[in-house]
Amino acid sequence: MLHLAILISGNGSNLQSIIDAINNHQLNAVIDVVISNKANAYGLERATKANINTSVCVKDENLTANEKIINVLKKYKIDLIVLAGYLGIISKELIQKYQSKIINIHPSLLPKYGGKGMYGINVHEAVIKNKEKESGCSVHYVNEEIDGGKIILQTKVKVLSTDTPQTLAKRILPYEHKTLIEAINIIDKQYDK
Ligand code: GRF
């Protein structure tokens, strides 16, 4: 059984899809902790409702957010860290401590529309501006290059001529949920070997 830590910054719909997949036995995993870099992230309420431990990690005069995250993770035996709508920076130290054990869901067909500044609605605005015929989402390993790690799974989604960034974002989101669950299952099967 995979022990997961989920990092969030906002609504937490990707977190919710993992909670639901575990409850529906589509994932052989347990979420040990949900960590947010925003105290008001709705995803924290989703975690609390599901009786999952939560922690808010914001830098203060003594520790950076990443140092706090590392201290929280130390309390558990985490197999996989999932960045699910997480908008904070992942430090070199955290990446090294959890080498090839951190994945991210990104709302584009990487390597296109990835990298610095390419998150949330910015991605879909750029896709529409460039008149792309297709977009989608990618689950990838996290390394020191933003959105640059090895891709685990991608799903293509058609871009309609009538699409706005908002309608495209809305249509891609459910595919993110589905692709993220499938990617975690791919990793789980690698652990079983
Ligand atoms: C999603 O659009 C996802 O692509 C990105 O963050 C956004 C919010 O995700 N990673 P969530 O609803 O907070 O999971």
Side-chain angles (χ1 to χ4, degrees):
M1 173 175 281
L2 275 185
H3 285 257
L4 306 176
I6 315 290
L7 273 55
I8 62 166
S9 297
N11 180 28
S13 70
N14 280 286
L15 162 66
Q16 190 62 57
S17 68
I18 296 171
I19 293 169
D20 296 346
I22 290 170
N23 292 340
N24 300 333
H25 310 294
Q26 291 164 332
L27 263 186
N28 181 26
V30 59
I31 300 173
D32 286 338
V33 63
V34 170
I35 297 172
S36 177
N37 65 341
K38 301 272 183 232
N40 63 350
Y42 181 63
L44 290 167
E45 284 185 46
R46 295 178 191 268
T48 303
K49 271 194 203 122
N51 299 314
I52 298 167
N53 302 314
T54 59
S55 181
V56 176
C57 293
V58 178
K59 75 174 174 7
D60 61 22
E61 59 280 1
N62 303 312
L63 293 171
T64 66
N66 276 280
E67 284 165 340
K68 291 187 175 181
I69 290 169
I70 290 167
N71 289 342
V72 169
L73 294 173
K74 269 180 192 158
K75 297 178 196 165
Y76 307 94
K77 194 182 163 306
I78 299 298
D79 299 309
L80 186 66
I81 298 168
V82 182
L83 308 187
Y86 186 69
L87 297 178
I89 300 294
I90 300 294
S91 65
K92 279 200 182 96
E93 190 192 5
L94 181 50
I95 291 169
Q96 277 151 14
K97 273 187 185 303
Y98 291 90
Q99 202 60 258
S100 305
K101 290 188 172 184
I102 310 176
I103 64 172
N104 179 47
I105 172 77
H106 181 80
S108 80
L109 293 174
L110 292 173
K112 295 178 87 174
Y113 303 103
K116 198 165 168 48
M118 277 290 143
Y119 56 85
I121 204 70
N122 301 351
V123 173
H124 308 298
E125 281 169 355
V127 165
I128 300 267
K129 185 163 165 272
N130 292 344
K131 299 184 175 21
E132 297 285 356
K133 292 281 173 278
E134 67 178 16
S135 187
C137 57
S138 307
V139 181
H140 63 95
Y141 284 104
V142 171
N143 64 14
E144 284 156 35
E145 187 198 341
I146 299 178
D147 299 329
K150 179 172 175 281
I151 292 170
I152 302 163
L153 192 60
Q154 293 186 300
T155 301
K156 288 181 181 172
V157 177
K158 271 181 83 59
V159 180
L160 306 179
S161 55
T162 51
D163 265 327
T164 63
Q166 290 69 23
T167 59
L168 181 57
K170 198 157 178 271
R171 187 159 66 254
I172 290 178
L173 195 53
Y175 289 97
E176 290 179 41
H177 300 160
K178 187 172 161 297
T179 309
L180 185 53
I181 302 309
E182 282 176 35
I184 296 171
N185 268 317
I186 289 169
I187 293 165
D188 187 28
K189 284 179 182 54
Q190 286 163 358
Y191 268 87
D192 289 346
K193 279 184 188 131

